[in-house]
Amino acid sequence: YLHLLKATAQNKAFIKFETRSDSAFQPVLKYFLKQPDLYLRMQACYIMGSIYRDLNCRIAAQEWYNKAISMADTTAGAQHLALLARVYSQNAEVCEYLVNNEHPKHLYDIGAHYALLAKDTILYLQLRQEIASCIPSKIFPDSAINAFKQLIPLCLKHNLIKNGMQNYLAITLTHMYKNDVDSAKKYIDIFKSESAKFGYDYKNDGSYHTCLASYYGAIGELDSMYPHLLYMANHPKWHYNKTGYYGLSQYHEIHELYKLQYPVNHYKEI
């Protein structure tokens, strides 16, 4: 039970599980799978799924999340339902990187439903934000923007400052999908102003640098785009890292190509 508590605390603190965490947790998992307490059995399966998630074994992670869901008692109390909501949330996150029949939005929807039943407002709002992010922005940009706008005051009311600020960035990127750079710039300015108001450290937010790199690239300010791409390339999260490296390769390719053909003072025009 102590090992389960430690692993749960580690997971809640966003401290990644490392190599051999799966083998170290196996005896704990086996113990709880033999116990009658459904909540603890479900929690052990959830942690095992989270270990495989951090080890990038996403199919194995999904299997353990599904096993946890299969054990759920939807008539149980708030604690049980809140755990079920978190399992659905993590299952949805894993699904985003897998090619299968389940769409992450559907799983986030179910998770949000159970978070609401558990009266866990903060978890519910976080899942609603994930649902809004699943809206295909290129197809339904206005509905995505409206969803994020509605979430901002609710997040700030419940002291979810980071979530609220990131919703401004989500609006910015959705405007970039629409090729509406003026509106994107407007929300970048609003984001900076609100960040200062709420004391949010936006300079260490990968989404902020993604927005700025996208914006400066769209208006042809390649040299202004470069430091934001560099930050993303060095960011610990792989999706920022991957995007940053791709952007840097494109930057250098364009830089070398146009350096040969045009004077430096024509960069902006290009």
Side-chain angles (χ1 to χ4, degrees):
Y1 186 62
L2 179 61
H3 284 299
L4 179 61
L5 286 178
K6 284 182 176 179
T8 301
Q10 180 174 340
N11 194 43
K12 282 186 176 180
F14 304 105
I15 300 170
K16 284 195 169 187
F17 295 101
E18 297 177 349
T19 308
R20 294 190 294 278
S21 292
D22 55 334
S23 56
F25 194 73
Q26 281 289 348
V28 183
L29 178 68
K30 286 178 182 177
Y31 172 82
F32 281 104
L33 287 177
K34 295 175 183 176
Q35 303 306 309
D37 189 320
L38 274 179
Y39 178 80
L40 293 177
R41 285 164 62 186
M42 187 177 162
Q43 191 175 16
C45 291
Y46 170 55
I47 293 299
M48 197 64 187
S50 299
I51 289 171
Y52 282 121
R53 173 204 64 203
D54 287 352
L55 297 179
N56 290 321
C57 302
R58 295 191 177 96
I59 292 175
Q62 187 183 50
E63 287 174 356
W64 282 105
Y65 288 144
N66 285 334
K67 196 172 181 84
I69 289 168
S70 72
M71 296 175 178
D73 177 3
T74 55
T75 64
Q79 184 186 34
H80 196 110
L81 293 174
L83 175 60
L84 181 56
R86 286 195 294 274
V87 176
Y88 269 108
S89 168
Q90 290 304 303
N91 204 5
E93 187 177 315
V94 166
C95 267
E96 290 185 46
Y97 303 104
L98 294 175
V99 179
N100 56 27
N101 295 324
E102 290 184 286
H103 192 277
K105 183 179 180 297
H106 171 66
L107 297 172
Y108 282 127
D109 270 323
I110 299 172
H113 168 71
Y114 286 120
L116 195 61
L117 289 179
K119 298 182 180 178
D120 190 330
T121 306
I122 290 177
L123 179 59
Y124 172 74
L125 288 173
Q126 289 171 333
L127 292 176
R128 292 304 308 173
Q129 182 173 330
E130 296 295 345
I131 291 166
S133 299
C134 288
I135 296 173
S137 302
K138 293 181 182 179
I139 304 171
F140 307 115
D142 292 333
S143 59
I145 288 169
N146 288 334
F148 289 123
K149 280 182 178 179
Q150 289 170 16
L151 279 167
I152 289 169
L154 291 171
C155 288
L156 296 179
K157 178 183 175 183
H158 291 279
N159 206 35
L160 293 169
I161 306 301
K162 181 178 180 180
N163 296 75
M165 296 303 107
Q166 288 190 333
N167 284 325
Y168 281 119
L169 295 176
I171 292 171
T172 301
L173 283 175
T174 308
H175 279 302
M176 292 302 302
Y177 285 132
K178 296 171 68 177
N179 293 317
D180 185 354
V181 291
D182 291 336
S183 294
K185 180 61 168 62
K186 172 187 168 184
Y187 273 94
I188 288 169
D189 292 340
I190 292 172
F191 166 77
K192 286 184 177 179
S193 172
E194 290 293 285
S195 293
K197 178 180 173 182
F198 288 95
Y200 180 63
D201 182 15
Y202 66 86
K203 291 183 180 178
N204 286 315
D205 188 323
S207 299
Y208 164 73
H209 293 281
T210 302
C211 287
L212 266 290
S214 178
Y215 171 73
Y216 283 125
I219 65 172
E221 292 274 6
L222 299 186
D223 289 337
S224 296
M225 177 177 66
Y226 185 82
H228 297 290
L229 290 174
L230 197 61
Y231 180 93
M232 290 160 62
N234 288 309
H235 199 282
K237 284 196 174 179
W238 76 270
H239 58 278
Y240 293 124
N241 183 282
K242 185 178 179 181
T243 305
Y245 273 116
Y246 175 75
L248 286 173
S249 69
Q250 294 293 95
Y251 169 87
H252 287 298
E253 185 177 333
I254 292 170
H255 189 278
E256 291 302 313
L257 176 65
Y258 288 112
K259 187 169 67 174
L260 296 173
Q261 298 181 36
Y262 302 99
V264 174
N265 62 356
H266 284 187
Y267 269 135
K268 286 185 183 180
E269 184 182 339
I270 292 162

